[in-house]
Amino acid sequence: MADYFYILPSLRVAEEWYQWPSLLLGFFVSGVYLICRYAAKIFALLKVEMDLMRQFLAITFGGLTPSYYARQLFFGALFAIFFIYMKSHTLHGIDFATVAVFVVSTLLYPYSRFVYESVVGFIMGRNVFFVNALLMLFFKVITMFICWFLAIFIAPLGLLYLYWHHSRQLSN
């Protein structure tokens, strides 16, 4: 039997235990050589990818005006604070996963609310309705809660729309 057996045509693996250190050293030296040889190309590709990712994040997450985002973030934070307070006073207390979901819902709430307001604006148009203020506030709080609660599912639609809208503006 030969001292080596083949895994790939160009790759030999040692059969004996004392042959492994030299084989691993060879792999390490080959890897370092390839990294050094192609480092400039690798870093250039990484820079291009980072620029694309930065542009994507700026177009999507930066697509809302800062005042709109801050206003909606304030109302989303009120829901999170309320539910964290209520959950912390239960028998089981509050755990990290619950707080994490509340934080994610709060951060995505402005985009969820943007989707809701866009859909309602499309359906209602520029019509104005005169209703009781307390009734309107009640329904507004209910829709805000629904948007906050389902923000994880609704917000990606808003982010996709913002990306499509702003990338189309950049191309024109």
Side-chain angles (χ1 to χ4, degrees):
M1 183 175 213
D3 291 321
Y4 298 95
F5 64 93
Y6 292 99
I7 290 179
L8 296 173
S10 63
L11 177 66
R12 293 182 182 178
V13 176
E15 286 182 345
E16 300 295 330
W17 66 271
Y18 57 84
Q19 295 170 332
W20 280 99
S22 63
L23 186 68
L24 293 177
L25 181 64
F27 284 143
F28 176 74
V29 170
S30 300
V32 169
Y33 169 73
L34 289 174
I35 288 174
C36 291
R37 183 170 180 189
Y38 296 107
K41 292 179 182 178
I42 291 171
F43 288 131
L45 287 174
L46 287 175
K47 184 178 182 311
V48 168
E49 293 297 324
M50 292 295 288
D51 290 342
L52 288 174
M53 182 58 77
R54 190 174 295 119
Q55 180 184 6
F56 173 77
L57 291 176
I59 287 174
T60 54
F61 287 99
L64 299 177
T65 62
S67 61
Y68 180 85
Y69 186 78
R71 179 176 177 269
Q72 298 302 333
L73 195 62
F74 172 76
F75 290 118
L78 288 179
F79 281 111
I81 290 168
F82 174 74
F83 286 114
I84 287 172
Y85 175 78
M86 295 301 286
K87 180 79 172 152
S88 67
H89 284 79
T90 62
L91 294 175
H92 301 291
I94 193 161
D95 57 343
F96 177 76
T98 305
V99 173
V101 168
F102 289 166
V103 168
V104 169
S105 288
T106 300
L107 292 175
L108 291 177
Y109 170 74
Y111 302 101
S112 173
R113 193 70 184 168
F114 172 74
V115 170
Y116 168 77
E117 290 176 355
S118 298
V119 169
V120 168
F122 176 74
I123 292 171
M124 301 298 264
R126 295 185 181 262
N127 294 325
V128 177
F129 297 97
F130 296 99
V131 296
N132 185 354
L134 291 176
L135 180 68
M136 186 64 185
L137 268 172
F138 174 74
F139 281 112
K140 188 147 182 104
V141 169
I142 295 298
T143 59
M144 289 169 73
F145 169 71
I146 291 170
C147 286
W148 181 82
F149 186 73
L150 297 175
I152 295 173
F153 305 107
I154 299 172
L157 298 174
L159 291 170
L160 284 173
Y161 173 75
L162 287 171
Y163 176 76
W164 175 76
H165 178 71
H166 290 297
S167 62
R168 195 177 70 167
Q169 279 183 344
L170 287 176
S171 66
N172 291 340

